[in-house]
Amino acid sequence: MGTLRSKLPILTTILVMALIIFAVNNDTIVKNTRKVLPNLTDEQYVKYYRQACDLKDADACFELGQLYDRGVDGKGKDVDYEEAYTYYGLACNLDHAAACNNLAYLYNTGKGIKKNNWYAIRNYKKACELGDIDACYNLGAMYYSGEGTRKNRYKAARLFRKSCDKGVAAACNDLGYMYAHGIHVRKDILEAISLYTDACEGGEASGCNNLGNMYQNGSLGVRKDSAKAEKFFEKACKLHDKDSCQKLGHVLESKINEIKYKSDIKTAQEACDLDNDVSCYKLGELYYGHNTLVERDVYKALEYFQKACDLGQADSCKRLGDIHRAGE
């Protein structure tokens, strides 16, 4: 029994040593594995994409097309539309739907290849048939305007409906316009409002702008509603629609004939920030004159008058002349 006990520490020691050796060796293997992983440069990954594309990998061809279409950084650096055309073409030949859509766009705009709307139509149609819903909308827009084909508003309406139902906000807006004006569909204002609303909620500024116009003017059988017009113009303005920003400024300006309250100052400032010249002029007069709302501030008044004058507000230009003539 004593002999057996004397062997346990020896066996334990051997086992521990073996584990240590294995761990060290295993760690070495892991480290070596990490060392051989390549640190790919832009040039190297493009090489592998090209190799994959040469082996008929449609996604690789498409990725190369996007790389040259948008630039290495995705912001237009090192753009090469001719290369983009080549790789989109290869991917499209391999039935890559998005590549066919992008190839059609290059034909439509004449980037990287001579403009040819017939080929644009052909490739938009193929992309749509392959399931690219943006291509279906683009094809509809071509039929609507008659680019590369005869105008066909019936086909346009069908493609807009298909695209809108799949979430293409611009298609909802364009179909809404057709219903609002009865273009190759039965005029239906309620349907137009519904479609414009879908477009607006989907982030299409034109849809918001069209709703704002309807409510601001009380047009197309819609009751005039300044509050709704303001809401839709504001949303479109936030979506960077310049026309809506200007109209929002007019809506805000119309709410104050004269600045009498603190709340009027805020409204006028918002309108002036949106380049509403009359509101800038009113703020100029507010700070130039003597009143209980704000302390007189000639320099601030001059800033407002200058902005209004630059925007074409004649009274502000005259006021600037008067102030400078008076030596203030």
Side-chain angles (χ1 to χ4, degrees):
M1 295 296 293
T3 305
L4 287 174
R5 282 179 188 153
S6 65
K7 285 184 177 180
L8 281 174
I10 297 171
L11 289 171
T12 302
T13 303
I14 293 171
L15 180 61
V16 170
M17 289 297 293
L19 288 171
I20 291 172
I21 292 168
F22 174 78
V24 170
N25 288 337
N26 190 51
D27 185 57
T28 304
I29 291 170
V30 172
K31 286 180 179 178
N32 287 339
T33 303
R34 288 174 182 167
K35 284 179 181 178
V36 300
L37 286 176
N39 181 20
L40 296 179
T41 64
D42 290 347
E43 185 177 333
Q44 286 174 316
Y45 81 71
V46 169
K47 180 187 73 173
Y48 287 119
Y49 277 179
R50 284 178 176 161
Q51 190 173 350
C53 182
D54 290 340
L55 294 169
K56 309 300 183 184
D57 187 296
D59 288 333
C61 298
F62 176 67
E63 289 290 344
L64 285 167
Q66 284 197 309
L67 180 69
Y68 288 111
D69 188 4
R70 301 176 182 178
V72 175
D73 58 356
K75 299 179 181 178
K77 183 182 178 182
D78 298 326
V79 165
D80 188 331
Y81 291 120
E82 290 184 5
E83 286 287 282
Y85 165 78
T86 298
Y87 286 108
Y88 283 150
L90 290 169
C92 183
N93 288 339
L94 294 167
D95 292 339
H96 193 290
C100 295
N101 177 65
N102 291 4
L103 179 65
Y105 178 78
L106 294 181
Y107 273 119
N108 188 213
T109 56
K111 292 180 176 179
I113 188 67
K114 186 177 180 181
K115 183 180 174 74
N116 189 316
N117 283 331
W118 187 84
Y119 278 116
I121 283 269
R122 181 179 174 183
N123 284 287
Y124 278 141
K125 186 175 181 180
K126 180 177 180 179
C128 181
E129 290 172 350
L130 288 169
D132 190 288
I133 202 64
D134 288 324
C136 297
Y137 166 67
N138 291 331
L139 181 61
M142 298 285 279
Y143 278 123
Y144 185 90
S145 62
E147 290 184 82
T149 185
R150 289 182 180 179
K151 285 184 180 180
N152 191 324
R153 300 290 171 76
Y154 172 72
K155 285 186 177 180
R158 286 180 59 196
L159 288 162
F160 288 158
R161 173 64 71 182
K162 179 179 180 178
S163 306
C164 177
D165 289 345
K166 293 289 186 177
V168 180
C172 299
N173 175 71
D174 292 359
L175 186 60
Y177 183 86
M178 294 180 77
Y179 274 104
H181 299 277
I183 300 173
H184 211 83
V185 293
R186 184 172 56 84
K187 189 173 182 177
D188 188 333
I189 300 304
L190 291 179
E191 180 67 6
I193 291 175
S194 176
L195 287 163
Y196 282 152
T197 301
D198 287 342
C200 183
E201 290 177 352
E204 175 60 41
S206 297
C208 307
N209 180 268
N210 286 329
L211 286 168
N213 286 330
M214 292 173 73
Y215 286 114
Q216 183 184 42
N217 303 322
S219 58
L220 300 172
V222 175
R223 182 177 296 179
K224 191 172 182 178
D225 190 325
S226 296
K228 286 185 177 179
E230 180 182 340
K231 180 183 77 171
F232 288 117
F233 284 144
E234 182 177 8
K235 185 162 186 177
C237 182
K238 288 179 179 178
L239 291 169
H240 312 294
D241 185 75
K242 187 175 181 180
D243 180 63
S244 294
C245 293
Q246 292 175 343
K247 288 175 180 175
L248 176 61
H250 288 302
V251 171
L252 293 172
E253 186 272 325
S254 67
K255 295 167 77 171
I256 47 169
N257 292 323
E258 182 182 349
I259 299 177
K260 296 180 179 180
Y261 308 102
K262 290 284 187 181
S263 59
D264 294 338
I265 298 176
K266 181 182 177 182
T267 302
Q269 184 63 61
E270 289 175 355
C272 181
D273 290 341
L274 292 166
D275 291 342
N276 181 264
D277 55 350
V278 175
S279 295
C280 296
Y281 168 70
K282 288 177 179 179
L283 287 167
E285 290 290 2
L286 176 71
Y287 283 100
Y288 186 67
H290 298 275
N291 58 80
T292 58
L293 289 176
V294 296
E295 291 185 13
R296 189 169 189 261
D297 190 330
V298 176
Y299 291 108
K300 186 171 283 191
L302 285 170
E303 289 179 0
Y304 285 119
F305 286 141
Q306 185 65 61
K307 181 172 182 178
C309 179
D310 291 342
L311 290 169
Q313 215 280 332
D315 291 334
S316 293
C317 299
K318 176 65 166 57
R319 184 60 109 175
L320 283 170
D322 292 341
I323 294 172
H324 285 294
R325 184 179 182 181
E328 289 191 67

